[in-house]
Amino acid sequence: MRRALWGAGLALAAALCAGAAQAQISDDVVKIGVLSDMSAAQADSTGPGSVTAARMAVEDFGGTVLGKRIEVVSADHQNKPDIGSNIVRQWLELQQVDVVADVPTSSVALAVQNLTRERDRLFLNSSAGSSDLSGPACSPNAIHWTYDTYSLANGTAGPLVSQGASSWYFVTADYAFGHALERDTGQAVNRAGGKVIGSVRHPMGMADFSSALLQAQASGAKVIALADPVGDTATAAKQAGEFGIQQQGQKLVGLLIDVVDLRAIGLETAQGMLLTTSFYWDRDNETRAFAQRFLKRHGRMPTQFQAGVYSSIANYLKAVQATGTDAARAVVATMRETPVNDFFAKNGRVREDGRMVHEMYLMQVKAPAESKGEWDLLKPIATIPGDRAFRPIEAGNCPYVGKAG
């Protein structure tokens, strides 16, 4: 009888322990919300492709974590902070979404970062670029994964100024991302010994850049820099080609540009352009393997944003598994302790300000004669170590650095 009671007690204790472990996953499901631009200028570079990348990451993980189902939901924020905020508020309050991912458009991302901090959920930012997101607006619940305006500026401006491109004029999207990119690039130009001689701002999603480009051309600057989101960069670059800006001696620089943009612009117009990126599909065997799988699913090669969505979610799920819970602060703590090693980044690390530090790549657009196929668009110029690519943590003014919690 004693043995039977002892055995029953052990069984009950085991059941209670199992129940406690299971209770660590809120609502018995890990729910990932992919908030993106599904219908406007950034949809080809993020949007449905980001949802595909998220689902691939979940499938590759096995579809469950700690015995609980992983679910992906998605929505279109239409590049509007109020719409994005309303969607995320409903996700967090009514649908029990645990982590918000992707979020192109920095003004939307800043709003989402506030909401996820207030409600103690996690934000995996792959596509918004403002360096303020890991600076003054940082959050203990957010990780800035893929790139930022500082890394784009630092990677591209210095090499160009050293080649003699000493005077710069900006064509800038008039919202948070464009402002940050112009600011960070202007500072990089000045550090390298160059000079910013002017700028013109325009609404996001503008169809006609002729007035802005003519002002930039009339400035006489050696560099016309497009401080624009993807989509706008492609539109402006194509119109600059029609004006013959580069043929007349000025250098056109797309500060944020990806393979989808480049294919739209065409190598005839974009050839020779320098750019900084966190990911290129043809960099090595691992990137090529991921890219071919993505191409079969989505019909296009992955952009850096879509690759970042996959990587951030895959590493998040590993952290949930290792931590034994989907509680945001606990998972972030594990992600800070765990190096990132996958096709996207080698020896990446998540800092206290939320910045995931990794190598960036200075690339050059190929001439048409150099390209061997539809997506063969870039050639490597230099690898930029993470500690040099991204802003030093002490220079970012993140209010959470050095404070517990």
Side-chain angles (χ1 to χ4, degrees):
M1 178 65 71
R2 286 178 181 172
R3 285 194 191 121
L5 290 172
W6 177 252
L10 288 177
L12 177 60
L16 290 172
C17 289
Q22 290 175 356
Q24 298 305 306
I25 296 299
S26 56
D27 303 295
D28 285 338
V29 61
V30 173
K31 190 174 288 188
I32 301 165
V34 179
L35 185 67
S36 199
D37 175 0
M38 301 292 185
S39 56
Q42 301 179 86
D44 287 343
S45 298
T46 59
S50 291
V51 179
T52 296
R55 288 178 174 152
M56 287 175 65
V58 170
E59 291 167 13
D60 289 348
F61 196 78
T64 63
V65 59
L66 298 173
K68 300 299 181 181
R69 181 170 54 89
I70 307 165
E71 182 181 343
V72 175
V73 297
S74 63
D76 183 0
H77 62 42
Q78 301 176 43
N79 297 306
K80 297 176 180 178
D82 56 339
I83 292 176
S85 295
N86 286 335
I87 291 168
V88 171
R89 193 174 289 109
Q90 290 182 32
W91 276 356
L92 303 184
E93 295 176 357
L94 302 178
Q95 298 184 41
Q96 302 303 315
V97 166
D98 298 293
V99 56
V100 180
D102 196 24
V103 195
T105 310
S106 292
S107 53
V108 182
L110 288 162
V112 170
Q113 190 141 300
N114 284 332
L115 282 170
T116 51
R117 181 179 63 244
E118 291 168 1
R119 288 157 176 78
D120 200 23
R121 307 291 172 82
L122 190 57
F123 178 27
L124 296 174
N125 170 16
S126 175
S127 297
S130 173
S131 60
D132 290 350
L133 288 156
S134 57
C138 72
S139 164
N141 288 41
I143 300 177
H144 204 171
W145 199 264
T146 305
Y147 77 107
D148 62 23
T149 52
Y150 185 96
S151 64
L152 297 180
N154 208 38
T156 303
L160 280 170
V161 173
S162 69
Q163 293 173 14
S166 56
S167 57
W168 289 57
Y169 191 97
F170 289 92
V171 176
T172 302
D174 193 11
Y175 76 109
F177 169 76
H179 300 170
L181 187 52
E182 179 183 327
R183 177 198 67 205
D184 290 348
T185 306
Q187 291 172 354
V189 168
N190 292 332
R191 284 196 302 270
K195 183 179 180 181
V196 177
I197 63 174
S199 67
V200 58
R201 291 184 173 178
H202 63 84
M204 183 181 178
M206 190 166 71
D208 183 2
F209 281 81
S210 56
S211 176
L213 290 169
L214 288 172
Q215 289 182 60
Q217 190 174 31
S219 74
K222 293 183 178 180
V223 174
I224 297 174
L226 305 177
D228 290 320
V230 292
D232 280 4
T233 296
T235 302
K238 283 189 285 188
Q239 292 176 17
E242 294 168 4
F243 291 148
I245 284 177
Q246 296 204 87
Q247 290 83 350
Q248 295 175 41
Q250 289 174 298
K251 186 179 291 292
L252 187 71
V253 173
L255 292 168
L256 179 62
I257 195 165
D258 60 44
V259 290
V260 174
D261 273 343
L262 287 173
R263 192 178 67 153
I265 296 166
L267 296 183
E268 192 66 43
T269 297
Q271 61 182 305
M273 186 183 292
L274 289 177
L275 59 94
T276 301
T277 186
S278 61
F279 172 85
Y280 179 52
W281 73 270
D282 200 22
R283 192 178 76 238
D284 58 34
N285 288 337
E286 285 186 273
T287 59
R288 283 188 285 273
F290 170 75
Q292 291 299 331
R293 291 175 55 218
F294 185 90
L295 179 66
K296 289 179 182 177
R297 290 277 293 264
H298 187 62
R300 294 187 177 111
M301 285 298 181
T303 64
Q304 62 175 323
F305 319 111
Q306 293 158 347
V309 167
Y310 179 103
S311 176
S312 63
I313 290 174
N315 282 275
Y316 162 75
L317 293 173
K318 291 176 185 177
V320 172
Q321 182 77 49
T323 310
T325 178
D326 60 358
R329 298 290 178 94
V331 174
V332 169
T334 298
M335 294 182 77
R336 287 178 183 167
E337 296 167 359
T338 309
V340 177
N341 282 296
D342 57 16
F343 72 88
F344 180 81
K346 299 299 180 192
N347 296 314
R349 59 188 177 87
V350 178
R351 295 191 315 204
E352 192 179 4
D353 60 354
R355 175 69 261 165
M356 200 277 272
V357 176
H358 53 84
E359 292 177 341
M360 297 287 288
Y361 305 96
L362 181 64
M363 312 285 282
Q364 187 173 42
V365 180
K366 289 185 173 182
E370 296 176 289
S371 177
K372 298 177 181 177
E374 179 183 12
W375 296 100
D376 183 22
L377 304 170
L378 297 172
K379 56 186 177 184
I381 300 298
T383 297
I384 308 167
D387 288 338
R388 190 158 61 84
F390 293 98
R391 180 181 56 207
I393 191 169
E394 62 273 11
N397 298 316
C398 170
Y400 293 96
V401 170
K403 297 181 181 179

